[in-house]
Amino acid sequence: MAKSFENRVAVVTGGGSGIGRASALAFAMEGANVVAADIDVEGGEETVQMIKNAGGEAIFVRTDVTKAVEVEAMVNKTIEVYGRLDCAHNNAGIDGTGLPADELSEADWDRVVSINLKGTWLCIKYEAPQMLKLGKGAIVNTSSIFGLIGGFPNNAEYVASKHGILGLTKGAALDYAAKGIRVNAICPGAIRTPILERQMPNPDALKMVTSLHPIGRVGNPEEVAETAVWLCSDAASFVTGACLSVDGGWAIT
């Protein structure tokens, strides 16, 4: 049976762990040649090995998404190795500092916004021209439930960056809608990733966060990954500029 991404090429940033790793694996399972990008060399290379062990094709490219030269090099490497770029999951991101807005340093603000928002824009900046050459493509950006709501106190820089991703997604969707490129965003709730483990180190904290999800549990990385793959697939051919919640119902409470 033909796979839906056979002969296509997918870039996944933040591919060394969590949602990014699950996304890279999901694209590979559907036949895509995958470029896993991450600043974490060990994690990224492990993701690639997992794909290869499952019979897929992938390469790792170390990439700091805050640096234009590195993002451009990542996309250039994709073209050098695979000759094209069909879809991208711009997923690289970090959490906030846990400080109130007045206690943030300028460096704190710049670091979170640069990785989460600027990094997503830089990826689009260099991915889109390659997709324009094909006359089609699909981009998915990872925002957050905190791109839709205020979330928790002491998280302003993270909330701002994730709201910004939604604005960027809508603006870019308009830029490319008539040119064959669809741009969408995913807003995950609490997902079992290394970030969640770091934020919720004890059972009581995790229980509290779980209670915010009407579905009664936190999510798994694979559930977000499958959504990213669907948004990049032909099945979502009439979907662009959307912000799709994958949050167990948190946003509707």
Side-chain angles (χ1 to χ4, degrees):
M1 181 180 295
K3 297 181 178 179
S4 57
F5 284 83
E6 200 163 358
N7 300 318
R8 298 188 193 183
V9 179
V11 161
V12 180
T13 66
S17 64
I19 292 170
R21 171 172 287 174
S23 180
L25 289 165
F27 275 112
M29 285 290 290
E30 288 298 326
N33 296 318
V34 176
V35 177
D38 205 302
I39 200 167
D40 174 10
V41 174
E42 183 178 355
E45 290 180 342
E46 186 175 290
T47 296
V48 167
Q49 193 57 53
M50 292 169 71
I51 290 171
K52 291 183 174 180
N53 289 346
E57 169 58 32
I59 61 169
F60 169 69
V61 182
R62 186 198 178 279
T63 308
D64 180 344
V65 296
T66 69
K67 297 179 179 177
V69 65
E70 293 197 20
V71 178
E72 183 178 23
M74 179 264 291
V75 173
N76 287 343
K77 185 66 174 180
T78 301
I79 303 306
E80 175 190 331
V81 175
Y82 295 121
R84 60 189 291 150
L85 175 58
D86 297 273
C87 51
H89 183 187
N90 300 324
N91 171 74
I94 59 170
D95 53 350
T97 60
L99 296 172
D102 65 296
E103 293 183 18
L104 289 170
S105 68
E106 189 173 356
D108 290 333
W109 174 273
D110 287 347
R111 180 169 181 265
V112 173
V113 173
S114 186
I115 293 172
N116 292 355
L117 181 54
K118 178 186 174 184
T120 302
W121 163 67
L122 283 174
C123 287
I124 295 171
K125 175 178 174 63
Y126 291 105
E127 293 159 354
Q130 298 301 327
M131 295 178 185
L132 288 171
K133 292 178 182 179
L134 297 176
K136 60 181 180 178
I139 295 171
V140 175
N141 303 317
T142 298
S143 178
S144 167
I145 179 67
F146 289 0
L148 299 169
I149 64 175
F152 302 137
N154 304 330
N155 218 14
E157 77 284 19
Y158 181 81
V159 171
S161 71
K162 292 300 186 176
H163 272 70
I165 287 172
L166 297 188
L168 172 62
T169 297
K170 294 173 185 178
L174 287 175
D175 289 345
Y176 304 113
K179 299 176 181 178
I181 301 173
R182 297 182 297 102
V183 186
N184 293 291
I186 299 174
C187 295
I191 308 297
R192 290 190 182 278
T193 66
I195 288 179
L196 183 66
E197 292 171 4
R198 184 168 64 250
Q199 291 174 332
M200 306 293 160
N202 63 71
D204 288 340
L206 183 59
K207 183 178 180 180
M208 181 277 293
V209 169
T210 300
S211 72
L212 298 173
H213 300 71
I215 207 167
R217 62 177 177 84
V218 299
N220 296 309
E222 294 76 14
E223 292 172 301
V224 183
E226 291 294 340
T227 307
V229 170
W230 179 78
L231 284 170
C232 285
S233 75
D234 294 341
S237 59
F238 201 54
V239 182
T240 196
C243 306
L244 188 57
S245 297
V246 189
D247 65 353
W250 185 349
I252 61 174
T253 59

